[in-house]
Amino acid sequence: MRLIILGAPGAGKGTQAEYLSSRFGIPHISTGDILRENVKNQTELGKKAKEYMDKGLLVPDEIVIEIVKNRLMQDDCKNGFLLDGFPRTIAQAEALEKVLADLGQKIDKVLNIEVPDEKILERMSGRRICKSCGASFHVIYRPPKKEGICDICGGQLYQREDDKEETVKKRLEVYHAQTQPLIEYYKNKGLLVTAVGQEEIADTTKEVLKALGVE
């Protein structure tokens, strides 16, 4: 199975991607991970990407596409793959189609995990992390016994910058602006399937499998 997974930050996309990867025995390819890997291994493409990343700029499409292409040509992708974080734009989607056509492949389905913005805002802005041991709590769903104190090690809990309400709102705005055209693009191609994210991870997984037609 060759899949693309879409979902806003905090929609639980990563968790479902890991599950599908092990269920179908296909690699979960996160563009962020393979970019960092190329930079770390100082590949030619990694060096080029690093120049942009060091300046806080987005890595240009042609570099990202080349890195993704190299990854898709590896042996473990022969029976399929799951792409996470790519494509982000229609231009990238068209380039991916061309890459796959050259490899004699095509995308089977594009899974969109849908969670209302207010739910994501509640999930992410309520998250608290322990400064000492890194344990994760939530002010509503998993509150610590004592406010601001970690149950596990007694460390101080804090809210990460990217979990702050304003930051989450901005990330959601960017996501919708970027991804809405992509959702329409794949819908028009008849590839889009949608799963509505639930409170419980297992319930979301059921929705995902139903959407993919593999209950």
Side-chain angles (χ1 to χ4, degrees):
M1 194 177 266
R2 294 175 182 89
L3 289 175
I4 291 169
I5 188 164
L6 303 173
K13 185 169 58 108
T15 307
Q16 296 305 321
E18 289 301 337
Y19 169 79
L20 292 171
S21 166
S22 79
R23 162 110 189 211
F24 297 116
I26 54 175
H28 169 207
I29 301 170
S30 150
T31 31
D33 289 349
I34 54 174
L35 258 177
R36 284 187 289 274
E37 206 174 289
N38 274 267
V39 170
K40 187 178 147 206
N41 296 335
Q42 298 192 328
T43 65
E44 278 312 304
L45 288 165
K47 285 175 191 168
K48 285 182 189 169
K50 190 175 187 295
E51 288 174 23
Y52 292 91
M53 289 157 86
D54 285 348
K55 292 174 189 160
L57 300 170
L58 280 177
V59 179
D61 275 5
E62 58 269 24
I63 295 175
V64 178
I65 288 153
E66 202 56 40
I67 284 175
V68 170
K69 181 182 179 179
N70 289 350
R71 180 66 186 88
L72 295 181
M73 287 168 77
Q74 290 176 21
D75 281 351
D76 63 343
C77 292
K78 278 187 179 152
N79 296 321
F81 52 78
L82 191 154
L83 277 175
D84 174 4
F86 183 89
R88 286 184 191 273
T89 62
I90 288 172
Q92 287 183 352
E94 289 169 344
L96 174 65
E97 239 164 83
K98 190 176 177 309
V99 163
L100 290 175
D102 291 347
L103 297 172
Q105 299 174 358
K106 62 182 182 11
I107 291 296
D108 295 314
K109 281 182 180 155
V110 177
L111 170 69
N112 179 33
I113 297 181
E114 216 169 62
V115 178
D117 282 6
E118 58 273 19
K119 206 75 202 149
I120 287 176
L121 207 53
E122 183 187 273
R123 270 186 199 177
M124 292 180 79
S125 62
R127 199 156 49 187
R128 298 292 182 271
I129 309 292
C130 173
K131 280 185 176 175
S132 305
C133 73
S136 182
F137 294 86
H138 195 282
V139 293
I140 298 168
Y141 304 118
R142 197 191 165 204
K145 293 188 182 82
K146 193 175 174 190
E147 197 180 334
I149 302 296
C150 174
D151 290 355
I152 298 158
C153 75
Q156 193 184 346
L157 300 182
Y158 77 107
Q159 184 181 39
R160 291 190 321 201
E161 279 303 317
D162 57 356
D163 284 342
K164 291 194 169 159
E165 193 167 323
E166 277 317 302
T167 313
V168 175
K169 278 181 181 168
K170 280 199 188 98
R171 286 173 73 193
L172 286 169
E173 273 169 32
V174 170
Y175 175 77
H176 291 308
Q178 274 188 342
T179 312
Q180 205 51 50
L182 206 53
I183 286 170
E184 292 305 316
Y185 175 83
Y186 283 122
K187 196 186 278 178
N188 292 337
K189 285 185 170 286
L191 292 173
L192 189 83
V193 294
T194 298
V196 177
Q198 306 295 311
E199 286 297 338
E200 298 295 328
I201 290 171
D203 293 336
T204 302
T205 303
K206 278 182 199 159
E207 292 296 317
V208 163
L209 293 174
K210 199 190 292 177
L212 292 173
V214 285
E215 282 178 90

